[in-house]
Amino acid sequence: MDFSELMAEMADRFGIAGEASPDKDGVYRLGADGVTVAFMEVPEMNAALVFGEVCELPVEGRERFLTALLRENFMGRGAPGGAFSLSEGDKVYLHRYVDLPSAETGAFCTALEDFVAALVNWRNLARDYGPVAAERAAKAASDAEAAQGFLQV
């Protein structure tokens, strides 16, 4: 299945067909459960990348936060099928690659629901690690809540 077909079928399955369109960079965004999840094609890997921002890396409690993040992600248990990364701007992201040739809409949507649940969980946990992280997570959750249930362009 190709990326645009997968996005169209996902949108149809979630009842948002017609609203699913990429931005100028080819990124689709879906607001769900108070978070924004983004999707983009990675042609050189023949994959789709699904990602969402967890939080800004906290200034206070940074070591404790990173230790908790790594410990909870031991052998992938804290991010089913996904991984964590840290951007140049010190933002923590959860991401997952989906192999397009083997992608099936039902399995993809189930994996997406699991991804969103993990992202929401990590967002909530991040609020416990310093004031900057808490303020950022609260704002991001508020922004995503306003967009809940539809793809943003």
Side-chain angles (χ1 to χ4, degrees):
M1 173 174 301
D2 77 16
F3 182 67
S4 58
E5 290 172 332
L6 183 62
M7 292 296 97
E9 288 185 20
M10 178 199 66
D12 187 52
R13 185 174 199 127
F14 288 133
I16 53 174
E19 298 176 39
S21 58
D23 65 16
K24 65 180 175 53
D25 297 318
V27 178
Y28 293 75
R29 288 183 174 74
L30 169 67
D33 295 337
V35 297
T36 299
V37 178
F39 309 84
M40 64 184 286
E41 184 174 15
V42 184
E44 60 273 13
M45 294 177 65
N46 203 11
L49 173 62
V50 181
F51 60 98
E53 183 182 332
V54 174
C55 66
E56 185 173 308
L57 188 62
V59 174
E60 295 176 28
R62 180 176 287 211
E63 182 178 335
R64 189 172 66 118
F65 175 77
L66 290 172
T67 299
L69 186 78
L70 290 172
R71 193 165 280 140
E72 285 300 313
N73 194 45
F74 179 70
M75 301 301 226
R77 74 175 178 212
F84 293 97
S85 57
L86 184 62
S87 74
E88 299 256 342
D90 279 347
K91 292 181 181 179
V92 177
Y93 284 85
L94 178 61
H95 67 274
R96 177 181 184 156
Y97 288 96
V98 177
D99 182 60
L100 289 173
S102 64
E104 185 274 316
T105 306
F108 178 74
C109 290
T110 299
L112 177 59
E113 290 169 352
D114 292 344
F115 182 89
V116 168
L119 184 58
V120 168
N121 181 55
W122 280 104
R123 275 257 178 112
N124 291 335
L125 290 172
R127 291 186 180 128
D128 295 335
Y129 294 93
V132 172
E135 287 174 27
R136 181 113 173 110
K139 182 187 179 326
S142 173
D143 291 349
E145 184 176 325
Q148 188 170 359
F150 63 91
L151 289 175
Q152 295 179 326
V153 218

